[in-house]
């Protein structure tokens, strides 16, 4: 009796896990193997470390506990061989391996009820799914009702094979996953996920936004300028989020721009430079995002072709304080080693608010001395008189211009002759010299212009100093805004 009870006990002892409570499954050379250990063993594949054969089922164990193939382990179990394909695997159903079962299931799924064969477009998907690493997980995935809905819908042609079918599906996650799969199989053309979202964003934006004029122009800008460009770009590499964001911003601001014009009873086609300058000057910095739209419109005859939409160089216009500017001027004029031409250029920049590119190219004859000795300068229309204290470096310059000893230069027509014969001074050279003298080129010039505008109306400043009327208008508006923000100060400053 003792021997019998020993036999029973050993029958139920799993040779692998030592558990006696699991249901036994098979008897292998090492002893009984429980269900749980059998399943684990028959799902292990790879190169057998014993015989070095690749892609083997590795249910056995060598002396060190490493998984080895059936031949090396001496496991002779016909159930581990698929009755159809001959591959070794844990039997999944009726002597068939998981892969053969998956092939059967997918063939059923991809065949419409009234058809003899699978829907031909789905053939590449069938191949992709049945050759994947783990057929078992594919079978589990196929039980998902959303997956089934999409796949049967496509099989029976209830759903067309388009990106929209997946994009509009009630389960976005499954839709996305299947869509990617369809693209990878070549059933659907490639798409960029960001581009795709952007496309539907444009549709929604155009359909739901109050666009008070030029709707077709806005749509053209969105589709032809942005979408087409991004599509081309997406063919080369995935679109970065930033590209989409700035495209959205430009379209949104373009709509704001046409509506803003409409509210001022202006039509897009007849908007002027002053309108554009006012748009930029009187709103948040995001307004400069209308630049692409305006440029596109001028190129495509939706707006007057000679309009200029300036590039935004910084978030706000840099402006030096008057004190800083005066200090820069006085320092430059008083430093004994400063060349006379640099002193003259400093006056023209810091007092007359002229841009360096224009200063460098001033002809000699802009300077004139009136009968009463008053030095006059003519930037644009009427000659302006220069205060005597500031005129000195300019009159000195007319007598001692630089680079005049070059043979070919003594008839130079320029106020600032350059080193090269017949040329005026290179503006870059001038900028460098002015900067070396501690002058903040942009900030100080803007400060000078604002000083002019505090006493002279913008249109006159523009005319006399040769500025773009939009620029003076913009500066004047900014000063106005600053003043109105301090009503008490404003009141107190007036008698
Ligand atoms: Zn076990
Ligand atoms: Zn082996
Ligand atoms: Zn098989």
């Amino acid at each position: 009796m003792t021997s019998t009870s020993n036999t029973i006990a050993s029958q139920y002892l799993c040779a692998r896990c030592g558990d006696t409570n699991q249901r036994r499954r098979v008897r292998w050379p090492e002893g009984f193997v429980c269900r749980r250990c059998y399943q684990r063993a028959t799902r292990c594949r790879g190169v057998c470390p014993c015989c070095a054969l690749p892609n083997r089922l590795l249910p056995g164990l060598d002396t060190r506990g490493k998984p080895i193939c059936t031949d090396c382990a001496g496991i002779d179990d016909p159930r581990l061989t698929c009755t159809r394909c001959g591959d070794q695997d844990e039997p999944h159903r009726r002597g068939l391996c998981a892969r053969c079962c998956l092939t059967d299931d997918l063939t059923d799924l991809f065949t419409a009820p009234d058809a003899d064969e699978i829907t031909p477009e789905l053939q590449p998907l069938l191949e992709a799914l049945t050759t994947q690493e783990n057929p078992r997980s594919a079978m589990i995935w196929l039980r998902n009702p959303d997956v089934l809905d999409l796949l049967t819908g496509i099989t029976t042609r209830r759903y067309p094979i388009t990106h929209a079918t997946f994009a509009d599906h009630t389960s976005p996650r499954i839709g996305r996953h299947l869509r990617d799969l369809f693209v990878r199989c070549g059933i659907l053309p490639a798409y960029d996920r960001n581009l795709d979202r952007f496309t539907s964003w444009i549709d929604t934006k155009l359909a739901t936004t109050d666009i008070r004029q030029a709707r077709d122009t806005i749509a053209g800008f969105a589709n032809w300028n942005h979408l087409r460009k991004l599509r081309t770009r997406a063919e080369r590499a995935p679109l970065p989020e930033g590209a989409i964001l700035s495209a959205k911003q430009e379209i949104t601001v373009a709509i704001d721009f046409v509506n803003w014009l409409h509210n001022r009873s202006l039509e897009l086609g007849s908007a002027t430079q002053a309108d554009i300058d006012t748009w930029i000057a009187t709103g948040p910095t995001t307004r400069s995002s209308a630049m692409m739209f305006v440029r596109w419109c001028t190129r495509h005859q939706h707006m007057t072709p000679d309009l200029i939409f300036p590039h935004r160089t910084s978030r706000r216009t840099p402006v030096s304080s008057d004190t800083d500017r005066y200090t820069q001027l006085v320092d430059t004029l008083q430093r004994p080693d400063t060349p006379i031409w640099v002193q003259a250029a400093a006056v023209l920049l810091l007092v007359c608010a002229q841009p360096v590119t224009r200063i460098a190219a001033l002809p000699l004859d802009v300077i004139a001395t009136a009968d009463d000795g008053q030095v006059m300068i003519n930037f644009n229309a009427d000659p302006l008189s220069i205060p005597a204290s500031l005129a000195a470096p300019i009159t000195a310059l007319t007598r001692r211009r630089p680079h005049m000893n070059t043979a070919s230069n003594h008839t130079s027509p320029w106020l600032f002759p350059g080193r090269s014969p017949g040329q005026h001074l290179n503006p870059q050279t001038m900028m460098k010299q002015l900067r070396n003298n501690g002058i903040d080129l942009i900030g100080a010039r803007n400060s000078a212009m604002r000083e002019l505008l505090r006493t002279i109306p913008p249109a006159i400043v523009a005319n006399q100093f040769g500025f773009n009327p939009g620029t003076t208008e913009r500066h004047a508006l900014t000063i106005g805004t600053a003043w109105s923000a301090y009503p008490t100060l404003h009141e107190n400053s007036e008698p």
Side-chain angles (χ1 to χ4, degrees), residues 455-478:
T455 46
I456 316 171
I460 297 175
V461 171
N463 188 38
Q464 292 205 315
F465 290 84
F467 302 139
N468 183 330
T471 311
T472 52
E473 186 82 32
R474 185 156 53 88
H475 278 283
L477 276 161
T478 313

Side-chain angles (χ1 to χ4, degrees), residues 82-87 96-97 99-100:
C82 172
T83 56
R84 186 186 297 164
C85 69
D87 196 11
L96 295 179
C97 68
R99 199 173 298 282
C100 286

Side-chain angles (χ1 to χ4, degrees), residues 262-457:
H262 176 84
N263 294 344
R264 296 162 68 99
S265 310
L266 294 164
E267 275 178 28
L268 180 66
S270 52
T272 63
Q273 186 65 49
D275 296 330
I276 290 173
D277 293 333
T278 311
W279 157 262
I280 297 169
T282 57
T285 52
T286 47
R287 283 194 172 182
S288 58
S289 304
M291 181 180 75
M292 285 305 294
F293 177 66
V294 171
R295 290 186 178 178
W296 184 82
C297 285
T298 55
R299 266 204 312 280
H300 295 89
Q301 282 102 47
H302 302 299
M303 292 181 84
T304 322
D306 58 349
L307 294 175
I308 292 164
F309 198 110
H311 241 291
R312 179 159 67 94
T313 47
S314 64
R315 293 191 73 78
R316 47 183 283 280
T317 314
V319 183
S320 308
S321 71
D322 285 340
T323 316
D324 283 352
R325 180 163 53 92
Y326 295 146
T327 309
Q328 291 169 20
L329 181 64
V330 169
D331 284 356
T332 308
L333 296 184
Q334 288 182 345
R335 207 173 292 125
D337 56 344
T338 311
I340 201 74
W341 70 265
V342 176
Q343 296 187 2
V347 169
L348 294 167
L349 176 82
L350 299 176
V351 179
C352 306
Q354 295 297 306
V356 174
T357 44
R358 193 188 296 164
I359 297 171
L362 283 174
L364 180 61
D365 61 14
V366 294
I367 310 290
T369 309
D371 294 342
D372 58 356
Q374 181 75 266
V375 177
M376 310 294 285
I377 186 160
N378 190 349
F379 289 117
N380 192 39
D382 303 318
L384 295 153
S385 67
I386 305 174
S389 55
L390 296 171
I394 294 172
T395 44
L397 173 66
T398 58
R399 291 193 295 268
R400 285 186 281 136
R401 289 185 288 163
H403 305 125
M404 287 301 283
N405 43 8
T406 316
S408 52
N409 239 2
H410 57 259
T411 53
S412 174
W414 307 112
L415 182 58
F416 298 91
R419 208 180 290 274
S420 313
Q423 304 293 308
H424 59 70
L425 195 74
N426 185 333
Q428 297 297 331
T429 310
M430 186 176 277
M431 287 182 198
K432 198 174 157 208
Q433 278 294 325
L434 290 168
R435 276 201 205 98
N436 288 348
N437 277 274
I439 294 170
D440 167 17
L441 297 178
I442 298 170
R445 180 182 167 232
N446 284 329
S447 156
M449 187 178 293
R450 291 187 181 183
E451 178 166 31
L452 295 172
L453 289 164
R454 269 185 228 117
T455 46
I456 316 171

